[in-house]
Amino acid sequence: MFTIKTPAQYQQTLWKNGKGTTTELAINDGGDLTHFDWRISIASVVENGVFSDFSGLRRDLFLLSGQGVTLIHDEGKSGETMHQLKRPLDYATFDGGSRTEGKLHDGAITDLNLMTRQGMYQVNIVTFDQQTSWPLPEDGLCFIYPLADKISLDVKGQQTTVIDKHHLLIAEQGFKSATLNADHAIFIQLLSIEPGLSN
């Protein structure tokens, strides 16, 4: 079974550093900005600046629109790293506790943020930048976010489901005999990690 959230159901929240607002698409039951296991949100970035501190969390940041951004992590330290996001669907994975600065390439951008508590999930991501028919996994907590006008989900023996642009499909226990027909979409799977194991 799955549900589809519409933009009217999303929540507006302040950034943790108070310098902007975020559109929260979904969060684990009982979670809030001070403590959560997973969270998906969208934000507009209109100026260069340092990201909020989310120590203990893994961050996956996807470029949705705009001319791109450079992410610099722990600048000046021996372990400094950098990501260049230039095209829609480019994404970067980094430690939410690192000091991360975003430098815009040419004007504002919009990005999608996935944040997951470290050690809790194996995170699997697939992005689609052209029309693709792809068999969906049968387990895990799964999300589908379309950037194109419409994508479809074909489940064996059932009517095709259409997912509109900027809607979020959530499947709590994977899919059974389902195929995603997608053009410009993000797929995310979270698999719980047993205690004592790491991803």
Side-chain angles (χ1 to χ4, degrees):
M1 296 294 294
F2 55 82
T3 59
I4 297 176
K5 294 189 69 173
T6 70
Q9 295 173 290
Y10 301 158
Q11 301 293 320
Q12 297 295 320
T13 62
L14 285 173
W15 287 1
K16 192 175 179 181
N17 62 16
K19 295 184 178 181
T21 59
T22 288
T23 301
E24 182 180 277
L25 278 62
I27 193 170
N28 65 277
D29 289 342
D32 58 36
L33 190 58
T34 61
H35 186 85
F36 55 85
D37 297 332
W38 60 262
R39 181 176 186 253
I40 298 177
S41 62
I42 289 176
S44 294
V45 181
V46 299
E47 62 183 3
N48 299 338
V50 177
F51 284 28
S52 300
D53 181 0
F54 281 99
S55 295
L57 297 167
R58 161 180 164 152
R59 296 190 67 165
D60 292 279
L61 188 146
F62 302 77
L63 181 64
L64 298 183
S65 64
Q67 298 303 309
V69 62
T70 297
L71 304 177
I72 304 172
H73 314 287
D74 295 323
E75 186 172 14
K77 297 182 180 179
S78 60
E80 177 185 323
T81 58
M82 181 183 298
H83 290 100
Q84 296 270 3
L85 307 184
K86 298 180 179 180
R87 298 171 298 179
L89 297 177
D90 284 352
Y91 71 94
T93 300
F94 56 97
D95 185 343
S98 65
R99 184 187 184 280
T100 297
E101 182 178 4
K103 295 186 176 181
L104 300 171
H105 293 174
D106 184 15
I109 65 162
T110 303
D111 59 51
L112 183 144
N113 285 271
L114 166 68
M115 287 187 275
T116 52
R117 190 151 300 281
Q118 293 175 355
M120 286 195 69
Y121 301 103
Q122 174 185 324
V123 181
N124 298 319
I125 294 168
V126 182
T127 60
F128 304 93
D129 61 1
Q130 59 185 350
Q131 188 62 44
T132 306
S133 182
W134 188 69
L136 289 160
E138 296 189 357
D139 55 357
L141 174 61
C142 299
F143 306 92
I144 300 171
Y145 183 79
L147 279 68
D149 286 338
K150 292 181 179 179
I151 66 173
S152 65
L153 182 69
D154 295 327
V155 181
K156 187 176 181 180
Q158 298 183 27
Q159 186 175 358
T160 296
T161 298
V162 174
I163 312 168
D164 291 326
K165 183 178 182 180
H166 299 159
H167 289 49
L168 179 70
L169 183 145
I170 306 172
E172 294 188 0
Q173 297 180 348
F175 304 86
K176 304 300 180 186
S177 302
T179 300
L180 177 66
N181 298 302
D183 179 9
H184 289 82
I186 297 169
F187 170 82
I188 297 165
Q189 180 192 37
L190 304 183
L191 294 170
S192 295
I193 296 174
E194 295 179 17
L197 298 180
S198 59
N199 54 341

